[in-house]
Amino acid sequence: MRLSCERLQLDGAIRADGTDRESGISGGGSGGEIRVETGRLTGSGTISADGGDGISTFNFGSSGSGGGRVAVYHGDASGFDLDRITAGGGGGGAPGEDGTVRLEQR
């Protein structure tokens, strides 16, 4: 997903998260990709491309999937908590690897 705007007031969520595995032995879905280009980023929302969770059943479990990629290019993000931008790996029998978050002030 790509979003380009002069100002972004984000009080909700922008998500490209992988799906969780609900049954069976295969893992969850991997996180997707988000690119945001804005002059000013404010708000109390979140941006995520987290990997989906696997499940643990009986003596085996399925693995979590890897996180995706988030890139945020901004002029001013002083009104936004940048720790709310994630690309974490999913949980499960073995956790998925974290993806990447790139933050760049332009």
Side-chain angles (χ1 to χ4, degrees), residues 5-106:
C5 55
E6 182 63 32
R7 296 180 64 161
L8 176 59
Q9 170 77 35
L10 180 61
D11 290 315
I14 298 174
R15 297 190 334 213
D17 297 336
T19 56
D20 293 338
R21 183 67 183 176
E22 296 181 13
S23 64
I25 59 172
S26 61
S30 62
E33 181 179 355
I34 298 171
R35 179 183 176 117
V36 176
E37 298 175 30
T38 186
R40 183 172 181 165
L41 177 61
T42 60
S44 60
T46 61
I47 301 173
S48 65
D50 297 328
D53 293 337
I55 60 168
S56 294
T57 57
F58 305 109
N59 292 327
F60 59 90
S62 57
S63 298
S65 293
R69 181 177 192 276
V70 179
V72 177
Y73 303 99
H74 61 87
D76 175 16
S78 61
F80 190 84
D81 182 358
L82 297 175
D83 288 335
R84 294 179 177 264
I85 301 172
T86 61
E97 294 291 324
D98 290 342
T100 58
V101 173
R102 179 181 176 98
L103 305 173
E104 184 176 314
Q105 186 173 9
R106 293 184 169 177

